[in-house]
């Protein structure tokens, strides 16, 4: 009986590590202003921010919850703010360690900002290409990063649908950069020490 009880505890805490409940702090941060208001962008040069940027983010267990829609709107507002205009952002960059990113879809005519939840890269092409990257969370560094030209990515949308897509080129690069953020990886990790100065 005791062993069974212990087993249940172990299984529950294992599941919890994948989809931890949203904290009061996260709720307060997301609800601190209107959906059209930008959020503070975490900076790699600030030790407390760097902790968030280096952490592994939690899976989102229910993408349809209103709070994620609000977060997504605020992340898009952040990307459109004149102080930090960008083509993609990941939740850790606004202080939330959850698996949600915004990607500007340059592969679509209107180039919309799309909300990508719990993304997983299933296939990465062997063919690679280099391009200069920067990051809203890393001041003053831009450098060349080599990434896969094409990826197959699986993710959830805000309405809870699962999508599987093949994306390539610049859009695939944004996906890869933002998904790295969810695993605590920064683009500067790919730069050789000699260029890093
Ligand atoms: Zn970045």
């Amino acid at each position: 009986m005791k062993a069974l009880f212990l087993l249940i505890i172990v299984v529950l805490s294992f599941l919890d590590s994948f989809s931890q409940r949203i904290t009061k702090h996260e709720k307060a941060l997301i609800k601190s202003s209107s959906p059209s208001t930008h959020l503070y962008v975490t900076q790699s040069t600030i030790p407390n921010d760097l902790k968030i940027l280096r952490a592994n983010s939690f899976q989102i267990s229910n993408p349809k919850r209103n709070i994620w829609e609000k977060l997504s709107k605020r992340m898009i507002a952040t990307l459109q703010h004149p102080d930090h205009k960008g083509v993609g952002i990941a939740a850790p960059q606004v202080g939330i360690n959850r698996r949600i990113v915004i990607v500007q879809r340059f592969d679509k005519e209107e180039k919309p900002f799309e909300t990508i939840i719990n993304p997983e890269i299933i296939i990465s092409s062997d063919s690679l290409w280099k391009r200069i990257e920067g990051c809203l969370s890393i001041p003053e560094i831009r450098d060349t990063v080599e990434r896969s030209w094409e990826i197959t990515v699986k993710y959830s949308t805000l309405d809870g649908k699962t999508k599987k897509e093949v994306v390539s080129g610049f859009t695939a690069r944004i996906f890869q950069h933002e998904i790295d953020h969810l695993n605590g990886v920064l683009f500067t990790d790919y730069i050789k020490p000699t260029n890093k100065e």
Side-chain angles (χ1 to χ4, degrees):
M1 191 63 193
K2 202 176 167 190
L4 180 68
F5 183 68
L6 274 175
L7 180 72
I8 290 169
I9 297 283
V10 168
V11 169
L12 284 179
S13 58
F14 178 73
L15 289 175
D16 204 40
S17 71
F18 278 103
S19 58
Q20 208 198 41
R21 269 195 212 101
I22 183 156
T23 65
K24 269 186 194 161
H25 168 76
E26 289 172 321
K27 253 188 211 165
L29 180 60
I30 296 165
K31 292 183 171 175
S32 63
S33 195
S34 77
S36 58
T37 310
H38 68 104
L39 286 152
Y40 164 78
V41 178
T42 49
Q43 297 298 306
S44 62
T45 45
I46 298 171
N48 277 340
D49 287 4
L50 187 62
K51 259 189 226 160
I52 298 170
L53 289 167
R54 283 304 191 188
N56 230 314
S57 288
F58 290 107
Q59 287 277 343
I60 289 179
S61 51
N62 181 3
K64 287 160 85 173
R65 279 186 70 173
N66 290 341
I67 191 99
W68 304 129
E69 192 185 1
K70 179 151 191 190
L71 174 61
S72 132
K73 284 184 175 158
R74 295 202 68 184
M75 286 168 72
I76 293 170
T78 306
L79 278 179
Q80 290 173 321
H81 192 272
D83 285 355
H84 29 65
K85 271 194 174 301
V87 295
I89 194 165
Q93 293 183 273
V94 294
I96 306 276
N97 278 122
R98 302 281 163 172
R99 302 188 83 83
I100 174 167
V101 303
I102 306 293
V103 172
Q104 187 166 11
R105 298 296 305 256
F106 285 89
D107 53 341
K108 295 187 178 178
E109 204 173 329
E110 304 282 316
K111 300 183 175 62
F113 288 106
E114 286 187 356
T115 305
I116 309 292
I117 297 173
N118 299 330
E120 254 179 275
I121 296 175
I122 303 167
I123 306 166
S124 303
S125 71
D126 291 335
S127 98
L128 307 171
W129 69 301
K130 290 178 182 170
R131 192 186 196 278
I132 287 185
E133 287 187 22
C135 178
L136 299 178
S137 293
I138 306 175
E140 288 165 30
I141 302 177
R142 290 176 64 77
D143 213 324
T144 307
V145 180
E146 194 169 52
R147 295 194 189 270
S148 288
W149 172 255
E150 192 170 87
I151 56 165
T152 304
V153 64
K154 194 178 140 195
Y155 61 91
S156 280
T157 56
L158 282 170
D159 52 12
K161 292 196 179 98
T162 303
K163 282 197 174 182
K164 198 167 125 185
E165 277 189 80
V166 178
V167 282
S168 57
F170 187 48
T171 307
R173 178 173 291 274
I174 303 169
F175 267 97
Q176 291 169 80
H177 178 118
E178 301 313 334
I179 292 170
D180 271 352
H181 273 300
L182 304 181
N183 301 319
V185 174
L186 301 172
F187 86 94
T188 42
D189 297 344
Y190 300 109
I191 301 169
K192 290 193 194 92
T194 44
N195 304 354
K196 233 175 186 169
E197 311 277 309

